[in-house]
């Protein structure tokens, strides 16, 4: 039991470090969504951890990568960006890991990853509407109209925050999750011996 716990913590720490590094590899897609929303693959290690170690470890990895980001790089968003990243990553990995752990097979891994991507995309709307964007307005004194203007530069009819989040953020987050899911399905089996401590 102690050996398994030690191994799990070691793997979780390793995946957290990889996720932290992947946070630096981000890029905007300005034609599809405002440039302050960036694409990255830092949720992939949490998904791998959720499959290999369980959903709780997926959440822990999501938390640790953001904590490392705050401690080592610092935050330019008063921790709001990191909080949002953690909440969405946790929803993604926990949902996928929970479905996978009850019946471990390639089919449930795919179903779990897809469900996790959908859960993350859907959760992105209320989390951004009630927490992230209001926090930006309060802490950065950025008028909501200015934020909406960034969306309207792409789609003039996006005249409310909820409409922006549904039209832009939710599909973007879904695609991001699906890409992580696809990569995970491709690399999980080759990495499985390492993640599970088998030779």
């Amino acid at each position: 039991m102690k050996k398994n716990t030690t191994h799990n913590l070691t793997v979780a720490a390793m995946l957290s470090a990889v996720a932290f590094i992947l946070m630096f590899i981000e890029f905007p897609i300005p034609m599809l969504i405002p440039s302050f929303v960036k694409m990255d693959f830092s949720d992939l290690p949490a998904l791998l951890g959720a499959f290999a170690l369980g959903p709780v470890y997926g959440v822990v990895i999501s938390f640790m990568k953001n904590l490392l980001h705050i401690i080592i790089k610092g935050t330019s968003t008063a921790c709001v960006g990191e909080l949002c990243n953690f909440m969405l990553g946790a929803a993604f990995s926990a949902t996928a890991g929970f479905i996978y752990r009850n019946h471990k097979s390639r089919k449930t891994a795919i179903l779990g990853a897809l469900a996790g991507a959908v859960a993350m995309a859907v959760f992105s709307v209320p989390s951004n509407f009630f927490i992230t964007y209001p926090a930006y307005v309060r802490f950065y004194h950025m008028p909501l109209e200015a934020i909406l203007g960034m969306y309207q530069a792409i789609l003039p009819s996006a005249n409310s925050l909820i409409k922006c989040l549904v039209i832009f953020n939710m599909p973007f987050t879904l695609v991001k999750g699906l890409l992580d899911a696809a990569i995970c399905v491709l690399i999980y089996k080759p990495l499985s011996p390492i993640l599970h401590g088998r030779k």
Side-chain angles (χ1 to χ4, degrees):
M1 181 68 179
K2 184 177 180 181
K3 182 179 179 181
N4 287 340
T5 301
T6 301
H7 169 76
N8 289 351
L9 291 174
T10 301
V11 171
M14 177 187 70
L15 290 173
S16 298
V18 173
F20 164 68
I21 293 171
L22 288 176
M23 290 184 79
F24 290 90
I25 307 173
E26 59 180 10
F27 52 93
I29 310 178
M31 297 302 294
L32 299 178
I33 195 165
S35 58
F36 65 85
V37 182
K38 295 181 174 63
M39 175 69 74
D40 71 75
F41 297 97
S42 65
D43 290 321
L44 175 59
L47 183 59
L48 290 168
F51 282 163
L53 309 174
V56 172
Y57 281 96
V59 174
V60 169
I61 293 165
S62 293
F63 175 78
M64 288 304 300
K65 73 165 182 177
N66 283 286
L67 181 61
L68 288 170
H69 191 267
I70 293 170
I71 293 173
I72 296 175
K73 185 183 178 183
T75 178
S76 60
T77 63
C79 297
V80 174
E82 288 80 10
L83 175 61
C84 179
N85 187 288
F86 163 66
M87 291 190 298
L88 296 181
F92 181 33
S93 58
T95 301
F98 180 79
I99 292 174
Y100 178 69
R101 77 172 181 177
N102 292 322
H103 182 67
K104 297 182 178 181
S105 67
R106 182 178 177 82
K107 181 179 178 180
T108 53
I110 294 173
L111 290 175
L114 292 176
V118 171
M120 180 170 65
V122 172
F123 184 55
S124 72
V125 174
S127 64
N128 280 312
F129 187 82
F130 290 110
I131 299 174
T132 308
Y133 284 74
Y136 278 128
V137 171
R138 178 174 180 179
F139 292 121
Y140 285 90
H141 308 290
M142 179 182 293
L144 182 59
E145 291 75 17
I147 296 175
L148 294 179
M150 299 179 192
Y151 287 96
Q152 289 175 322
I154 303 172
L155 182 66
S157 62
N159 54 10
S160 69
L161 179 57
I162 190 68
K163 184 181 289 188
C164 292
L165 295 176
V166 171
I167 293 174
F168 290 96
N169 290 59
M170 187 163 66
F172 176 85
T173 306
L174 177 62
V175 170
K176 178 181 176 182
L178 292 176
L179 289 174
D180 284 329
I183 296 171
C184 180
V185 170
L186 290 174
I187 69 174
Y188 181 73
K189 188 172 182 179
L191 290 177
S192 184
I194 298 173
L195 297 175
H196 290 95
R198 297 193 298 262
K199 295 182 178 180

